[in-house]
Amino acid sequence: MDFIIKNEYLELTVSSRGAEKQKLVSSKGINYLRQPDNIWNRTAPFLFPNVGRVKGNYTFINDNRYDLPQHGFLRDQEFEVMRQVDDEIALVNLSNEETLKLFPFMYKVIVQYQLKDKELITKVSITNEDNTVMPFNIGGHPGFFCPLYENEEFTDYRLVFNKQETFNAPSVESDGTLNFNKFSEEFKQLKELKLDYSYFEIDAIVIPRVKSKEVKLINKNNKGIKFNYEDFLTLAIWTRPNAGFLCLEPWIGYADRHNSNHQFIEKDNIIKLNPSEEKEVKYTITIID
């Protein structure tokens, strides 16, 4: 089921499946969120309890084996609406028999969307409803049309970081794990990245410890979006050649390292919540038109 919230400038469509954003349309009729197709069948999923792949698609938690899909299972769970007004909606998902087979913890996830002028605020809160410490990673995966307008090319766009970035992007192995001993790209004092599909022939550009907490995806006329992700440690940038979209993915955690020992608790940047403890993260999309 789909739900709509709106204000003077924006209209957001949200699905109950995964609490996923479906469309973000401006008053000028521009939809900023890419639409599912045969290249990628999603728009803006949430990644929980793992980001990326666990090695071999399985992991061990408390000495028991669990099969976890890429990016976890939350994106395929049904959410219920907790509250809704004209410009705001909150949806909730609770652990259940299905999720406990994949991840042996009781949890509550609330996704809240708020429209404020030309800004969409996305908040995700995770509460540990179990009686033991709950480890997890969390991430976002919104995809944006790129180009946005007619008679434009992907290469007309650039990413502008609010701080200079110097990093080695780990190689994405054929099994989806990350190899930090082999780099797909090396960047020094990067402030602007002119987009080119050649960067994504292998997979994503992963910035493990991103300094910038704000990046703009803009065209030659400086139109596009501003993306803020203060609560996250890692930023991944992903598309597929000639796909017509770009994903900006804020993460706490990432795929298993290529030499992982399959122990979930030892994953990088793992969050550990005590019973009844809550963790909230948010990211913001601002329209620049």
Side-chain angles (χ1 to χ4, degrees):
M1 181 178 294
D2 287 347
F3 306 94
I4 293 176
I5 59 172
K6 57 186 175 181
N7 66 6
E8 180 182 354
Y9 303 101
L10 296 171
E11 179 177 290
L12 175 70
T13 303
V14 179
S15 173
S16 60
R17 183 172 181 262
E20 186 174 356
K21 294 180 281 290
Q22 298 294 304
K23 295 179 182 178
L24 181 63
V25 182
S26 72
S27 56
K28 297 180 180 180
I30 301 296
N31 179 23
Y32 288 81
L33 293 176
R34 59 95 53 193
Q35 297 300 284
D37 55 25
N38 59 1
I39 296 177
W40 185 47
N41 65 350
R42 301 184 190 266
T43 299
F46 296 105
L47 319 180
F48 171 89
N50 53 296
V51 172
R53 288 197 185 277
V54 292
K55 185 178 179 180
N57 296 317
Y58 71 91
T59 192
F60 286 100
I61 301 174
N62 298 329
D63 296 326
N64 295 314
R65 172 175 164 153
Y66 294 90
D67 297 326
L68 275 173
Q70 182 183 26
H71 293 321
F73 53 75
L74 188 67
R75 58 187 183 170
D76 294 318
Q77 291 293 302
E78 278 293 316
F79 281 68
E80 294 184 359
V81 174
M82 294 176 60
R83 63 182 182 275
Q84 181 177 1
V85 294
D86 288 348
D87 58 359
E88 186 176 333
I89 188 170
L91 305 97
V92 62
N93 172 257
L94 300 174
S95 52
N96 53 59
E97 289 185 9
E98 178 186 348
T99 67
L100 288 170
K101 293 175 183 177
L102 301 170
F103 184 64
F105 300 98
M106 303 287 286
Y107 68 80
K108 177 173 67 176
V109 174
I110 297 174
V111 175
Q112 178 181 325
Y113 295 111
Q114 180 184 12
L115 296 174
K116 191 175 180 181
D117 297 327
K118 296 184 179 182
E119 184 176 86
L120 168 61
I121 302 167
T122 299
K123 293 181 181 178
V124 183
S125 73
I126 300 98
T127 302
N128 179 2
E129 301 210 319
D130 219 305
N131 58 7
T132 186
V133 173
M134 181 176 74
F136 64 93
N137 291 136
I138 181 71
H141 201 311
F144 302 96
F145 275 124
C146 187
L148 275 169
Y149 303 97
E150 292 183 4
N151 302 316
E152 286 187 331
E153 302 290 337
F154 185 76
T155 51
D156 291 333
Y157 282 72
R158 67 192 189 277
L159 289 173
V160 181
F161 297 88
N162 71 331
K163 294 184 179 180
Q164 287 188 338
E165 301 289 344
T166 297
F167 65 97
N168 297 322
S171 174
V172 181
E173 301 291 90
S174 59
D175 63 355
T177 60
L178 297 183
N179 189 340
F180 283 82
N181 297 320
K182 186 169 65 174
F183 306 126
S184 61
E185 300 285 347
E186 298 182 43
F187 295 96
K188 292 183 178 180
Q189 297 181 328
L190 177 69
K191 196 71 164 57
E192 293 194 11
L193 178 67
K194 180 175 169 57
L195 294 184
D196 193 294
Y197 283 122
S198 63
Y199 285 122
F200 307 98
E201 289 175 353
I202 298 176
D203 203 274
I205 298 174
V206 178
I207 311 176
R209 286 282 178 175
V210 65
K211 294 184 178 66
S212 301
K213 298 302 180 181
E214 181 182 287
V215 64
K216 294 178 182 177
L217 172 61
I218 50 178
N219 63 10
K220 293 178 178 180
N221 297 317
N222 296 321
K223 294 183 178 181
I225 64 157
K226 180 173 67 176
F227 189 68
N228 182 282
Y229 46 96
E230 287 283 347
D231 298 323
F232 295 87
L233 302 176
T234 295
L235 181 69
I237 306 159
W238 176 76
T239 188
R240 289 177 175 164
N242 304 310
F245 69 86
L246 188 76
C247 288
L248 299 176
E249 306 176 38
W251 298 344
I252 302 178
Y254 36 73
D256 276 1
R257 291 175 180 254
H258 75 289
N259 56 354
S260 167
N261 62 5
H262 296 280
Q263 296 298 319
F264 193 81
I265 195 69
E266 296 180 16
K267 286 176 63 61
D268 289 0
N269 302 328
I270 201 78
I271 300 166
K272 299 174 185 177
L273 279 190
N274 291 318
S276 302
E277 190 177 3
E278 177 186 2
K279 172 72 174 179
E280 182 178 276
V281 295
K282 75 173 183 178
Y283 65 79
T284 302
I285 301 164
T286 305
I287 302 305
I288 306 172
D289 61 356

